[in-house]
Amino acid sequence: MRLLRCCLLISFILSVLPTHAQNDSGLTIGFIQISSEHEWRLAFTQDVKAEAERRGFKLLYADQCCIQESGIEAFRSFIEKQVDAILLVPVVETGWTEVLQEAQNAGIPVVILERSVAADESLYLTRVSLDFVNQGRLAGAWLAQETSGICHIVELKGTGGSQAALERQTGFNDVIALFPNMRIIASQPGDFMKEGGKAAMQIILDTVDPAEICAVWAHNDDMALGAIEAIKEAGLDPGDDMLIVSIDAIPGMLKAIAEGDANATVELSPHMAGPAFDALADYFAGKTIPKSILVWGGIFSSDTVNYLSFEP
Ligand code: AHR
């Protein structure tokens, strides 16, 4: 009887509380994303939208379409609308100081998400991201271990001037510099896009003897997946004739690893919205926020992907 009363009381309390989605915080957040061109970024956008809804925030979404000027325009329109906070994913590092200053003058806190800005850190509240150099190092260390430090590598580079491309390259090069028989024999830009990676790989296969290539190192999975297509079309066996290692751990790449077409990918977690909104909540509650909040990511290879399910 006591138990029944206790259960009834719990259901009563739960029934009178609003759900998270109904609990409208009254806050409007402007979110400026780089683009919606591929799998990883779509998952990231989805995470921000879901997390905003869960917390009852009104989210205004803007897509830079990979062009910084569009991002700056969206940023200024959010200031004009007097949003409560701005989440910015910068397409490139430089050129943001002026608008960050404008936001600060307007009293609008800015959270930088994922990639960084080359601006004084007093101009933004915090940055939620990951260690891109470490991602490159992880990829390089995996390859060094896999090849016993003997490997001729071709590199597919991400967007020029983006922190993700620059630092992943630095991290990877840090590692291979430790091995005299590991070196980059060709390098082509692919702009983080599948078509870009495919075109870059086609150029490489036209100019380098495939027998010389031990591994393809791509700055992201989309380019790696494009390269896999190019390698197959050239009558070669990706994952076997040449190892494929990249970054993001999108489902398509994990599947390619499970099927033997690719070999390893470093995880880039798309779940950065939770820590970003927590930081904003703390800020509005008057708490001090750290300038950098890191999210974690591991590495997947054929040893681990077989435990995953690829069903939707
Ligand atoms: O900035 C991170 C990179 O951007 C991701 O690895 C890539 O997929 C995206 O375009």
Side-chain angles (χ1 to χ4, degrees), residues 210-229:
E212 278 294 304
I213 304 172
C214 147
V216 178
W217 145 234
H219 292 183
N220 83 340
D221 286 348
D222 283 78
M223 292 191 295
L225 291 171
I228 289 171
E229 281 184 13

PDB file of all heavy atoms in Angstrom, residues 210-229:
ATOM      1  N   PRO A 210      51.496   3.426 -59.051  1.00  0.00           N
ATOM      2  CA  PRO A 210      50.733   2.915 -57.894  1.00  0.00           C
ATOM      3  C   PRO A 210      51.544   1.933 -57.040  1.00  0.00           C
ATOM      4  O   PRO A 210      51.339   1.866 -55.817  1.00  0.00           O
ATOM      5  CB  PRO A 210      49.536   2.209 -58.534  1.00  0.00           C
ATOM      6  CG  PRO A 210      49.412   2.805 -59.891  1.00  0.00           C
ATOM      7  CD  PRO A 210      50.784   3.246 -60.311  1.00  0.00           C
ATOM      8  N   ALA A 211      52.457   1.226 -57.664  1.00  0.00           N
ATOM      9  CA  ALA A 211      53.259   0.259 -56.895  1.00  0.00           C
ATOM     10  C   ALA A 211      54.130   0.966 -55.855  1.00  0.00           C
ATOM     11  O   ALA A 211      54.603   0.350 -54.897  1.00  0.00           O
ATOM     12  CB  ALA A 211      54.128  -0.561 -57.846  1.00  0.00           C
ATOM     13  N   GLU A 212      54.335   2.254 -56.080  1.00  0.00           N
ATOM     14  CA  GLU A 212      55.156   3.051 -55.149  1.00  0.00           C
ATOM     15  C   GLU A 212      54.364   3.493 -53.923  1.00  0.00           C
ATOM     16  O   GLU A 212      54.910   3.997 -52.958  1.00  0.00           O
ATOM     17  CB  GLU A 212      55.628   4.331 -55.868  1.00  0.00           C
ATOM     18  CG  GLU A 212      56.844   4.165 -56.738  1.00  0.00           C
ATOM     19  CD  GLU A 212      58.051   3.843 -55.881  1.00  0.00           C
ATOM     20  OE1 GLU A 212      58.360   4.613 -54.965  1.00  0.00           O
ATOM     21  OE2 GLU A 212      58.647   2.774 -56.124  1.00  0.00           O
ATOM     22  N   ILE A 213      53.013   3.399 -54.017  1.00  0.00           N
ATOM     23  CA  ILE A 213      52.186   3.971 -52.938  1.00  0.00           C
ATOM     24  C   ILE A 213      51.858   2.908 -51.887  1.00  0.00           C
ATOM     25  O   ILE A 213      51.204   1.905 -52.174  1.00  0.00           O
ATOM     26  CB  ILE A 213      50.863   4.554 -53.504  1.00  0.00           C
ATOM     27  CG1 ILE A 213      51.172   5.594 -54.595  1.00  0.00           C
ATOM     28  CG2 ILE A 213      50.015   5.168 -52.381  1.00  0.00           C
ATOM     29  CD1 ILE A 213      49.932   6.090 -55.343  1.00  0.00           C
ATOM     30  N   CYS A 214      52.318   3.158 -50.679  1.00  0.00           N
ATOM     31  CA  CYS A 214      52.025   2.217 -49.581  1.00  0.00           C
ATOM     32  C   CYS A 214      50.728   2.627 -48.875  1.00  0.00           C
ATOM     33  O   CYS A 214      49.968   1.773 -48.439  1.00  0.00           O
ATOM     34  CB  CYS A 214      53.217   2.225 -48.635  1.00  0.00           C
ATOM     35  SG  CYS A 214      52.872   1.966 -46.914  1.00  0.00           S
ATOM     36  N   ALA A 215      50.465   3.939 -48.811  1.00  0.00           N
ATOM     37  CA  ALA A 215      49.256   4.370 -48.074  1.00  0.00           C
ATOM     38  C   ALA A 215      48.723   5.709 -48.576  1.00  0.00           C
ATOM     39  O   ALA A 215      49.469   6.547 -49.067  1.00  0.00           O
ATOM     40  CB  ALA A 215      49.561   4.498 -46.583  1.00  0.00           C
ATOM     41  N   VAL A 216      47.406   5.845 -48.438  1.00  0.00           N
ATOM     42  CA  VAL A 216      46.729   7.122 -48.692  1.00  0.00           C
ATOM     43  C   VAL A 216      46.348   7.699 -47.328  1.00  0.00           C
ATOM     44  O   VAL A 216      45.662   7.028 -46.546  1.00  0.00           O
ATOM     45  CB  VAL A 216      45.448   6.926 -49.535  1.00  0.00           C
ATOM     46  CG1 VAL A 216      44.732   8.258 -49.747  1.00  0.00           C
ATOM     47  CG2 VAL A 216      45.765   6.263 -50.870  1.00  0.00           C
ATOM     48  N   TRP A 217      46.802   8.905 -47.085  1.00  0.00           N
ATOM     49  CA  TRP A 217      46.467   9.598 -45.821  1.00  0.00           C
ATOM     50  C   TRP A 217      45.578  10.791 -46.197  1.00  0.00           C
ATOM     51  O   TRP A 217      46.000  11.726 -46.867  1.00  0.00           O
ATOM     52  CB  TRP A 217      47.763  10.027 -45.134  1.00  0.00           C
ATOM     53  CG  TRP A 217      47.794  11.324 -44.356  1.00  0.00           C
ATOM     54  CD1 TRP A 217      48.681  12.351 -44.545  1.00  0.00           C
ATOM     55  CD2 TRP A 217      46.983  11.733 -43.238  1.00  0.00           C
ATOM     56  NE1 TRP A 217      48.449  13.366 -43.652  1.00  0.00           N
ATOM     57  CE2 TRP A 217      47.414  13.022 -42.835  1.00  0.00           C
ATOM     58  CE3 TRP A 217      45.912  11.139 -42.558  1.00  0.00           C
ATOM     59  CZ2 TRP A 217      46.825  13.717 -41.785  1.00  0.00           C
ATOM     60  CZ3 TRP A 217      45.320  11.846 -41.507  1.00  0.00           C
ATOM     61  CH2 TRP A 217      45.787  13.104 -41.128  1.00  0.00           C
ATOM     62  N   ALA A 218      44.298  10.711 -45.809  1.00  0.00           N
ATOM     63  CA  ALA A 218      43.363  11.777 -46.170  1.00  0.00           C
ATOM     64  C   ALA A 218      42.992  12.559 -44.912  1.00  0.00           C
ATOM     65  O   ALA A 218      42.757  11.952 -43.858  1.00  0.00           O
ATOM     66  CB  ALA A 218      42.109  11.177 -46.803  1.00  0.00           C
ATOM     67  N   HIS A 219      42.880  13.872 -45.030  1.00  0.00           N
ATOM     68  CA  HIS A 219      42.547  14.700 -43.861  1.00  0.00           C
ATOM     69  C   HIS A 219      41.102  14.519 -43.407  1.00  0.00           C
ATOM     70  O   HIS A 219      40.725  15.048 -42.379  1.00  0.00           O
ATOM     71  CB  HIS A 219      42.796  16.181 -44.149  1.00  0.00           C
ATOM     72  CG  HIS A 219      44.243  16.546 -44.320  1.00  0.00           C
ATOM     73  ND1 HIS A 219      44.676  17.828 -44.532  1.00  0.00           N
ATOM     74  CD2 HIS A 219      45.359  15.781 -44.315  1.00  0.00           C
ATOM     75  CE1 HIS A 219      45.986  17.849 -44.649  1.00  0.00           C
ATOM     76  NE2 HIS A 219      46.433  16.617 -44.526  1.00  0.00           N
ATOM     77  N   ASN A 220      40.270  13.852 -44.227  1.00  0.00           N
ATOM     78  CA  ASN A 220      38.949  13.461 -43.710  1.00  0.00           C
ATOM     79  C   ASN A 220      38.402  12.254 -44.485  1.00  0.00           C
ATOM     80  O   ASN A 220      38.931  11.862 -45.544  1.00  0.00           O
ATOM     81  CB  ASN A 220      37.955  14.631 -43.669  1.00  0.00           C
ATOM     82  CG  ASN A 220      37.271  14.893 -44.996  1.00  0.00           C
ATOM     83  OD1 ASN A 220      37.753  14.473 -46.053  1.00  0.00           O
ATOM     84  ND2 ASN A 220      36.141  15.595 -44.959  1.00  0.00           N
ATOM     85  N   ASP A 221      37.347  11.681 -43.938  1.00  0.00           N
ATOM     86  CA  ASP A 221      36.786  10.450 -44.507  1.00  0.00           C
ATOM     87  C   ASP A 221      36.163  10.660 -45.885  1.00  0.00           C
ATOM     88  O   ASP A 221      36.241   9.789 -46.741  1.00  0.00           O
ATOM     89  CB  ASP A 221      35.695   9.882 -43.577  1.00  0.00           C
ATOM     90  CG  ASP A 221      36.271   9.229 -42.336  1.00  0.00           C
ATOM     91  OD1 ASP A 221      37.493   9.011 -42.276  1.00  0.00           O
ATOM     92  OD2 ASP A 221      35.475   8.938 -41.420  1.00  0.00           O
ATOM     93  N   ASP A 222      35.499  11.804 -46.069  1.00  0.00           N
ATOM     94  CA  ASP A 222      34.853  12.015 -47.373  1.00  0.00           C
ATOM     95  C   ASP A 222      35.881  11.924 -48.500  1.00  0.00           C
ATOM     96  O   ASP A 222      35.637  11.284 -49.527  1.00  0.00           O
ATOM     97  CB  ASP A 222      34.139  13.375 -47.408  1.00  0.00           C
ATOM     98  CG  ASP A 222      32.837  13.322 -46.642  1.00  0.00           C
ATOM     99  OD1 ASP A 222      32.901  13.371 -45.402  1.00  0.00           O
ATOM    100  OD2 ASP A 222      31.775  13.170 -47.237  1.00  0.00           O
ATOM    101  N   MET A 223      37.025  12.594 -48.299  1.00  0.00           N
ATOM    102  CA  MET A 223      38.063  12.520 -49.339  1.00  0.00           C
ATOM    103  C   MET A 223      38.584  11.088 -49.481  1.00  0.00           C
ATOM    104  O   MET A 223      38.841  10.625 -50.597  1.00  0.00           O
ATOM    105  CB  MET A 223      39.220  13.465 -49.012  1.00  0.00           C
ATOM    106  CG  MET A 223      38.855  14.929 -49.106  1.00  0.00           C
ATOM    107  SD  MET A 223      40.293  16.018 -49.023  1.00  0.00           S
ATOM    108  CE  MET A 223      40.892  15.710 -47.381  1.00  0.00           C
ATOM    109  N   ALA A 224      38.704  10.373 -48.358  1.00  0.00           N
ATOM    110  CA  ALA A 224      39.172   8.980 -48.421  1.00  0.00           C
ATOM    111  C   ALA A 224      38.186   8.129 -49.225  1.00  0.00           C
ATOM    112  O   ALA A 224      38.591   7.310 -50.056  1.00  0.00           O
ATOM    113  CB  ALA A 224      39.343   8.416 -47.012  1.00  0.00           C
ATOM    114  N   LEU A 225      36.883   8.371 -48.992  1.00  0.00           N
ATOM    115  CA  LEU A 225      35.877   7.579 -49.721  1.00  0.00           C
ATOM    116  C   LEU A 225      35.931   7.886 -51.223  1.00  0.00           C
ATOM    117  O   LEU A 225      35.758   7.002 -52.060  1.00  0.00           O
ATOM    118  CB  LEU A 225      34.477   7.845 -49.152  1.00  0.00           C
ATOM    119  CG  LEU A 225      34.257   7.302 -47.732  1.00  0.00           C
ATOM    120  CD1 LEU A 225      32.923   7.792 -47.162  1.00  0.00           C
ATOM    121  CD2 LEU A 225      34.319   5.779 -47.692  1.00  0.00           C
ATOM    122  N   GLY A 226      36.193   9.151 -51.562  1.00  0.00           N
ATOM    123  CA  GLY A 226      36.370   9.512 -52.974  1.00  0.00           C
ATOM    124  C   GLY A 226      37.593   8.822 -53.547  1.00  0.00           C
ATOM    125  O   GLY A 226      37.569   8.287 -54.678  1.00  0.00           O
ATOM    126  N   ALA A 227      38.679   8.798 -52.771  1.00  0.00           N
ATOM    127  CA  ALA A 227      39.921   8.159 -53.233  1.00  0.00           C
ATOM    128  C   ALA A 227      39.702   6.664 -53.467  1.00  0.00           C
ATOM    129  O   ALA A 227      40.215   6.088 -54.438  1.00  0.00           O
ATOM    130  CB  ALA A 227      41.027   8.383 -52.208  1.00  0.00           C
ATOM    131  N   ILE A 228      38.916   6.052 -52.581  1.00  0.00           N
ATOM    132  CA  ILE A 228      38.638   4.609 -52.732  1.00  0.00           C
ATOM    133  C   ILE A 228      37.982   4.348 -54.091  1.00  0.00           C
ATOM    134  O   ILE A 228      38.336   3.401 -54.801  1.00  0.00           O
ATOM    135  CB  ILE A 228      37.758   4.115 -51.558  1.00  0.00           C
ATOM    136  CG1 ILE A 228      38.593   4.089 -50.276  1.00  0.00           C
ATOM    137  CG2 ILE A 228      37.150   2.743 -51.843  1.00  0.00           C
ATOM    138  CD1 ILE A 228      37.796   3.841 -49.002  1.00  0.00           C
ATOM    139  N   GLU A 229      37.047   5.212 -54.461  1.00  0.00           N
ATOM    140  CA  GLU A 229      36.391   5.062 -55.781  1.00  0.00           C
ATOM    141  C   GLU A 229      37.420   5.159 -56.896  1.00  0.00           C
ATOM    142  O   GLU A 229      37.432   4.355 -57.836  1.00  0.00           O
ATOM    143  CB  GLU A 229      35.334   6.159 -55.967  1.00  0.00           C
ATOM    144  CG  GLU A 229      34.039   5.859 -55.245  1.00  0.00           C
ATOM    145  CD  GLU A 229      32.947   6.910 -55.518  1.00  0.00           C
ATOM    146  OE1 GLU A 229      33.094   7.745 -56.440  1.00  0.00           O
ATOM    147  OE2 GLU A 229      31.957   6.869 -54.771  1.00  0.00           O
TER     148      GLU A 229
END
